Amino acid sequence: MTVAGDLAHDHDHDLDANPALDPLDRRLVLATQNGLPLLPRPYHHLAEQLGIPPDEVIERLRRMLANGLIRRIGAVPNHYAIGYTANGMSVWDVPDARIDELGAQIGAIDFVTHCYRRPRRLPAWPYNLFAMVHGASRAEVQRKVAVIAGILGPDCRAHDVLFSTRLLKKTGLRIG
Amino acid sequence: MSEVAIDAIDRAIVDRLQGGFPLCEQPYAAVAHTLGISEADLLARLQALLAARVLTRFGPLFQIERIGGAFVLAAMRVPEGDWQRVVDAVNAFPAVAHNYRRESERGCELNMWFVLATESADAIAEVVGKIETACGLPVFLFPKEREYFIEMKLAVRA
């Protein structure tokens, strides 16, 4: 299966124009995949490591942000530590013809942290819309899921919520 | 996962740093200024937040698909009696980035949900084959077909 083929989104037209990572970009990815240096001049520090001018580090990061290679530069909070101890993956079976409109509505809800269309795997899995909902308790997640159900109304043919009960592994992305 | 004591400044830092970190010579100083703290204080607190695992990471978040790689959600139906053997077998694969046990409200039997991260899209099929062989169970793949969400929206509430 090719996952790249699944990414033919409307907003991904720039993907074709997007050249593959050049060797220097790749070194920059490798140098920052564990995080940005916690030093007053982090980009200067990277520049020294890579043997290029600091402006070029900044320019390359700016370009990768612009073309989507970098989604954002920022912090990834641990949901548990910031008070969201319940994590529910709500999943919905909605008509294919309506999913983009409905997905946009659900994705815009402030408590929905991720919202995706994914394939059904019949008969085991009839759901095509996934919305992650975090809360301080299961009851809070369930209240939020009820709000989603209300918005979907009769377009929701079936749904489920899968709560994470145990984190079995979590490592960052590693390339190289 | 234990709760970590964080104060109002820490909360403001976590909220402020969820995106939009500046690309300038002294970005920490610029952020510290907007928060009304010193650059040294911001750096020390960031270090502490990472050490305490309030933050799991700070830096550029790469879209692996745009780099030619793949990030795919996968699930398995693991029999209870075989649970630990399968956890160990699945987690042994470096391509398994996250793995959660999940419990359905409605009796869905897919109870192990993990994310496969590989440097090329083709490598996904290969690793799925290996996981299926190692576990003796089918892997269901749920590649992202469309994303309806862009930003990070969780406010700190601890």
Side-chain angles (χ1 to χ4, degrees):
Chain A
M1 60 164 305
T2 68
V3 172
D6 290 320
L7 293 168
H9 307 167
D10 293 342
H11 57 272
D12 278 349
H13 289 320
D14 55 341
L15 196 60
D16 296 334
N18 181 19
L21 222 51
D22 77 23
L24 197 48
D25 285 335
R26 192 186 156 80
R27 288 173 61 212
L28 189 52
V29 172
L30 289 170
T32 54
Q33 68 179 341
N34 287 324
L36 206 59
L38 293 174
L39 298 166
R41 290 177 175 76
Y43 308 121
H44 285 60
H45 182 79
L46 290 167
E48 264 174 48
Q49 255 180 279
L50 300 175
I52 58 175
D55 285 351
E56 184 162 2
V57 169
I58 288 176
E59 201 37 57
R60 280 176 181 266
L61 289 173
R62 200 186 304 283
R63 198 188 316 144
M64 286 195 255
L65 271 167
N67 66 21
L69 286 174
I70 295 175
R71 179 187 284 263
R72 59 189 171 94
I73 300 177
V76 181
N78 170 344
H79 292 145
Y80 294 95
I82 64 172
Y84 294 85
T85 49
N87 140 14
M89 183 173 77
S90 73
V91 293
W92 310 81
D93 174 16
V94 302
D96 289 336
R98 302 263 300 133
I99 190 169
D100 287 342
E101 187 187 325
L102 297 167
Q105 280 180 52
I106 303 307
I109 300 173
D110 60 0
F111 61 70
V112 172
T113 57
H114 300 84
C115 187
Y116 301 107
R117 183 177 81 205
R118 301 185 188 276
R120 296 186 182 87
R121 298 297 182 204
L122 297 170
W125 188 262
Y127 311 108
N128 56 347
L129 182 66
F130 287 56
M132 291 299 310
V133 177
H134 296 268
S137 65
R138 277 198 185 198
E140 184 185 329
V141 170
Q142 277 152 347
R143 280 195 298 277
K144 291 171 169 175
V145 168
V147 172
I148 298 177
I151 292 170
L152 294 176
D155 284 319
C156 167
R157 297 182 292 209
H159 83 283
D160 197 349
V161 185
L162 286 85
F163 285 96
S164 67
T165 53
R166 210 171 139 210
L167 176 60
L168 304 167
K169 180 176 184 182
K170 186 165 187 173
T171 56
L173 157 67
R174 293 288 178 272
I175 69 166
Chain B
M1 200 93 49
S2 60
E3 294 268 333
V4 183
I6 61 174
D7 66 15
I9 294 172
D10 290 327
R11 284 196 284 275
I13 290 172
V14 176
D15 283 340
R16 169 65 183 80
L17 287 183
Q18 290 195 32
F21 192 67
L23 287 165
C24 61
E25 187 177 341
Q26 289 183 262
Y28 296 105
V31 169
H33 181 74
T34 68
L35 292 169
I37 59 176
S38 72
E39 180 188 53
D41 193 14
L42 174 61
L43 284 166
R45 283 172 179 268
L46 256 180
Q47 199 106 54
L49 290 167
L50 285 162
R53 305 277 301 160
V54 171
L55 298 179
T56 58
R57 200 170 177 287
F58 177 73
L61 303 181
F62 298 100
Q63 287 261 62
I64 188 171
E65 300 96 337
R66 304 265 179 122
I67 304 174
F71 210 64
V72 181
L73 180 66
M76 283 169 87
R77 188 191 286 130
V78 182
E80 213 48 56
D82 214 9
W83 180 259
Q84 197 54 49
R85 179 190 73 85
V86 177
V87 169
D88 294 342
V90 169
N91 286 356
F93 287 89
V96 174
H98 310 168
N99 189 2
Y100 285 92
R101 177 166 188 144
R102 288 189 180 276
E103 194 173 273
S104 159
E105 282 198 323
R106 290 164 195 249
C108 171
E109 291 177 336
L110 294 176
N111 53 358
M112 181 183 285
W113 290 80
F114 49 96
V115 171
L116 296 172
T118 59
E119 210 182 327
S120 78
D122 296 340
I124 291 284
E126 192 187 323
V127 74
V128 165
K130 286 182 181 164
I131 292 173
E132 288 182 329
T133 304
C135 301
L137 295 168
V139 171
F140 295 84
L141 286 186
F142 297 95
K144 167 170 87 180
E145 292 178 335
R146 187 161 190 134
E147 179 163 11
Y148 301 111
F149 157 78
I150 309 285
E151 10 160 2
M152 188 72 203
K153 291 180 282 197
L154 289 184
V156 179
R157 49 192 298 169

